[in-house]
Amino acid sequence: MTDAVADRLIVGLDLAHVADAEKVVKELDGVAHFYKVGYRLAYNGGLEFARDLVRDGKSVFLDLKLLDIDNTVAEGVENIAKMGFRMLTLHAYPKAMRAAVAAAKGSDLTLLGVTVLTSMDAEDLKEAGYQDDPQTLVLRRARQALDAGMGGIVCAATEAAAVRQIVGADMAVVTPGIRPAGADQGDQKRVMTPRDALVAGASHLVVARPIIAAPDRRAAAQAILADMASA
């Protein structure tokens, strides 16, 4: 598998303990080198573990979905930008994005605006007080992320083609909710296969459960990479 394909697969370390995450990384050595650390692991020693991954030459996507007043977002991003991570998420609110972009200026950190969570559908948005359907809201936030100077956005793969038309070729389009053909969707509602997501315009795929919950994680990751390569 080429490094170019492997660099587009982000393995989600959605685990409770650093020891479990270390085991996954060890099992995937030589297959995957890009990992996502989110809430569950970050708040149980995961930030230091993420720094260790960077020191070991791995790429790290810190998925903390920041959102706060401008000054607080900026101060958080300033510190995170010094830690060597490759990607960081924040919710795609225009003021927060502008503050984050200014704070990350001059660093190698790619800021990603989270549009609409892949676990949400139209009814969920309505319950939360939004009038738009998921795709309409995703596209609005994609335009706002572009205008703010963000490095990319996070959206469902089902919206990647429409988003790519808005943001152009240079911004990252990172898609969670990736499921191999026939896999259980779990709590995801807007999903797509690895190959189809890349064809649709995704630059990076976040895959967690289909790999970390597999009986043979290495084989599962290799199968996903092979599907990606076919695109």
Side-chain angles (χ1 to χ4, degrees):
M1 196 61 56
T2 67
D3 288 341
V5 174
D7 197 51
R8 301 176 75 175
L9 173 63
I10 304 172
V11 178
L13 297 175
D14 297 340
L15 298 157
H17 304 288
V18 168
D20 295 331
E22 289 174 336
K23 183 178 180 182
V24 171
V25 172
K26 184 176 181 180
E27 290 177 10
L28 297 180
D29 184 48
V31 175
H33 61 257
F34 202 162
Y35 295 94
K36 178 179 78 74
V37 173
Y39 288 151
R40 190 179 187 193
L41 191 60
Y43 298 138
N44 193 23
L47 288 179
E48 188 57 42
F49 168 69
R51 287 177 172 177
D52 291 341
L53 287 178
V54 172
R55 284 193 285 268
D56 290 341
K58 311 296 189 206
S59 294
V60 174
F61 167 15
L62 191 62
D63 187 19
L64 294 184
K65 300 181 181 71
L66 303 181
L67 181 61
D68 212 307
I69 63 172
D70 299 356
N71 189 59
T72 300
V73 168
E75 289 175 344
V77 170
E78 284 175 2
N79 282 335
I80 291 168
K82 300 172 186 175
M83 298 169 74
F85 302 135
R86 185 162 162 189
M87 291 177 168
L88 169 71
T89 52
L90 59 146
H91 283 287
Y93 285 70
K95 281 169 61 67
M97 290 191 291
R98 290 192 293 267
V101 168
K105 188 175 181 180
S107 76
D108 294 327
L109 182 64
T110 297
L111 296 172
L112 304 174
V114 177
T115 55
V116 177
L117 300 177
T118 51
S119 61
M120 300 182 74
D121 58 18
E123 287 301 311
D124 296 318
L125 287 181
K126 183 178 179 181
E127 183 181 23
Y130 292 95
Q131 301 303 312
D132 292 332
D133 61 84
Q135 178 153 327
T136 299
L137 184 55
V138 165
L139 298 185
R140 176 185 297 144
R141 288 183 166 170
R143 292 187 188 93
Q144 291 169 334
L146 177 64
D147 292 343
M150 295 282 284
I153 69 163
V154 179
C155 67
T158 51
E159 290 124 18
V163 164
R164 184 58 74 188
Q165 291 182 356
I166 291 171
V167 303
D170 295 334
M171 283 179 69
V173 177
V174 180
T175 59
I178 300 300
R179 293 290 184 269
D184 180 18
Q185 291 189 194
D187 59 357
Q188 304 287 355
K189 295 181 179 178
R190 298 173 358 260
V191 303
M192 191 174 280
T193 66
R195 180 186 186 281
D196 289 346
L198 292 182
V199 170
S203 61
H204 298 79
L205 311 184
V206 178
V207 184
R209 275 169 286 187
I211 292 176
I212 65 174
D216 186 335
R217 292 165 173 154
R218 192 176 184 88
Q222 288 171 327
I224 288 169
L225 287 167
D227 194 39
M228 293 168 64
S230 71

